[in-house]
Amino acid sequence: MASVNRVIVLGNLGRDPEIRYTSDERAIANLSLATSSRYKDKSSGELKEQTEWHKIVLYNRLAEVAREYLKKGQSVYVEGRLQTHARQAPDRYSQSR
C-alpha cells in the first residue's frame, strides 16, 4: 500500500528563528509556529480561540534563509514531512518524599 507523509502549516512565528551549527558547520534552525482556530462554546455561546504550537526544524541553507528573513510575528507557510519524536515523561513517583 502506498503512503504519503506531507504536512502544510500556515501560522505566525512565536519568536525569531533560533539557529545553531553542528560540528561540521551544518545549520539547524528551530521555529515556533502558532496556528489558531475559533469556535463557539456550546454552553455559553461565547466565541473562543484555541492556539496550537508547532515546532519546526529547518536544515542547511533553508535554515540560514530563515534566520535572514523571518522575524517574530510574521505569517509563515511551511510544507514538509511530519516526523515525531518520542519523549519520556519524568517519573514523578520514583522520587522519595
Side-chain angles (χ1 to χ4, degrees), residues 8-88:
I8 296 172
V9 180
L10 176 60
N12 295 322
L13 282 179
R15 60 178 180 251
D16 290 346
E18 296 174 2
I19 192 160
R20 60 188 168 86
Y21 291 89
T22 62
S23 58
D24 59 346
E25 308 263 335
R26 291 181 43 185
I28 300 174
N30 292 306
L31 307 178
S32 184
L33 199 63
T35 57
S36 51
S37 58
R38 293 188 180 118
Y39 64 95
K40 190 178 244 183
D41 188 300
K42 290 181 182 179
S43 61
S44 68
E46 183 182 356
L47 190 61
K48 295 195 173 191
E49 185 171 1
Q50 180 179 357
T51 302
E52 185 77 27
W53 288 94
H54 308 273
K55 292 182 178 183
I56 311 291
V57 181
L58 306 173
Y59 297 96
N60 302 320
R61 179 68 183 131
L62 190 54
E64 293 173 346
V65 169
R67 177 190 60 195
E68 195 173 327
Y69 291 103
L70 300 181
K71 299 291 178 212
K72 177 181 176 178
Q74 285 183 312
S75 292
V76 178
Y77 172 95
V78 178
E79 185 173 340
R81 66 184 176 91
L82 184 63
Q83 182 176 352
T84 58
H85 298 280
R87 293 188 181 183
Q88 184 175 359

